[in-house]
Amino acid sequence: MKENAEVTNPRATWVNTTHDWSGTIDQDHLEHIRSQPAEYAPSGLIHLLLEVLAYANDEAESAGRRGTCTVTLHTDSSIAIEDNGRGTDTRVDEHGQLIKKPIMATQDLRFFANPASPLLPDGHPRRGMSVVAALSDWLVHTNRRLNGSWTQRYEHGIPVTDLDSIDNTPATGTTVHFHPNLAYFLHPGLTPTDLDLTFPHLDITVAAP
């Protein structure tokens, strides 16, 4: 068994809720997003940030509590969002392979092609975390769960590392640190004043890099 991740039933039996467990990357999906950035990130960088925060809000709502989230605007134009949730679901399949729910490189089954997708605080439809990954030069997803902690790097939405184990900490949660591809955005900068954001189950703090 790899690390402490929970051994589950065969992968073919895993139930799809938000994403399809049968694959780890959908290249056509990522290319489609990159071909239409104005459709999938209509308010620019703020929309990418909101897509990430929406997952933290979901996590807090499902736990029946208020969550906390810290947003850091780095001087290299990258953005880091850290939450205190349970971490992204990560399992071990029947072959002993560590599998993380493919939220970055496949479509969110609830939102991406759904005309009734809920609106984010910028007034535009929620599409899923793959929009953030696809429109970023790189993204590092750090995932801390009770059964282990890992990190994985993506470039243009495509995973370029395996799940690399990191030291456990008492706290759980995720950190999504991404560098948006600024060529996709007419107004590439974000300032702390842009981050006066409200989610019903989330307390958001803006931190200095």
Side-chain angles (χ1 to χ4, degrees), residues 3 142-144 148-151 164-169:
E3 300 306 320
T142 301
N143 187 30
R144 300 176 304 280
S149 298
W150 307 271
T151 188
D164 294 329
S165 178
I166 58 176
D167 290 339
N168 277 344
T169 66

Side-chain angles (χ1 to χ4, degrees), residues 71-117:
V71 178
T72 304
L73 302 179
H74 290 277
T75 55
D76 65 353
S77 298
S78 67
I79 304 167
I81 302 100
E82 181 177 5
D83 69 53
N84 69 338
R86 294 168 297 176
T88 304
D89 193 358
T90 305
R91 307 176 182 181
V92 174
D93 69 11
E94 68 272 28
H95 307 294
Q97 179 68 37
L98 195 63
I99 307 293
K100 181 182 68 181
K101 183 184 286 189
I103 67 171
M104 297 296 176
T106 70
Q107 67 175 284
D108 191 308
L109 301 174
R110 302 166 297 172
F111 306 128
F112 189 78
N114 181 2
S117 180

Side-chain angles (χ1 to χ4, degrees), residues 2 4 16 34 41 64 76 96 116 147 150 152 157-158 195 201-202:
K2 294 189 177 183
N4 300 314
N16 296 331
R34 288 194 291 269
D76 65 353
N147 59 1
W150 307 271
Q152 187 169 32
I158 299 171
L195 304 182
H201 305 281
L202 202 59

Side-chain angles (χ1 to χ4, degrees), residues 2-165:
K2 294 189 177 183
E3 300 306 320
N4 300 314
E6 179 183 358
V7 177
T8 66
N9 294 326
R11 187 172 178 178
T13 68
W14 297 355
V15 175
N16 296 331
T17 53
T18 65
H19 294 76
D20 187 346
W21 282 98
S22 66
T24 57
I25 180 170
D26 185 340
Q27 298 236 29
D28 290 342
H29 169 66
L30 296 171
E31 290 173 4
H32 177 68
I33 294 169
R34 288 194 291 269
S35 72
Q36 301 184 60
E39 177 176 351
Y40 294 110
S43 61
L45 295 186
I46 196 68
H47 191 83
L48 302 189
L49 177 61
L50 294 172
E51 290 279 10
V52 180
L53 290 171
Y55 281 87
N57 185 72
D58 287 349
E59 173 70 8
E61 181 180 14
S62 69
R65 59 172 175 78
R66 289 196 68 77
T68 62
C69 202
T70 300
V71 178
T72 304
L73 302 179
H74 290 277
T75 55
D76 65 353
S77 298
S78 67
I79 304 167
I81 302 100
E82 181 177 5
D83 69 53
N84 69 338
R86 294 168 297 176
T88 304
D89 193 358
T90 305
R91 307 176 182 181
V92 174
D93 69 11
E94 68 272 28
H95 307 294
Q97 179 68 37
L98 195 63
I99 307 293
K100 181 182 68 181
K101 183 184 286 189
I103 67 171
M104 297 296 176
T106 70
Q107 67 175 284
D108 191 308
L109 301 174
R110 302 166 297 172
F111 306 128
F112 189 78
N114 181 2
S117 180
L119 301 182
L120 292 171
D122 62 354
H124 297 290
R126 184 176 177 186
R127 299 302 186 195
M129 194 81 80
S130 59
V131 170
V132 183
L135 298 180
S136 293
D137 295 320
W138 55 261
L139 182 152
V140 177
H141 183 196
T142 301
N143 187 30
R144 300 176 304 280
R145 290 177 61 82
L146 293 176
N147 59 1
S149 298
W150 307 271
T151 188
Q152 187 169 32
R153 181 182 174 93
Y154 298 77
E155 294 180 2
H156 310 288
I158 299 171
V160 295
T161 68
D162 293 328
L163 288 181
D164 294 329
S165 178

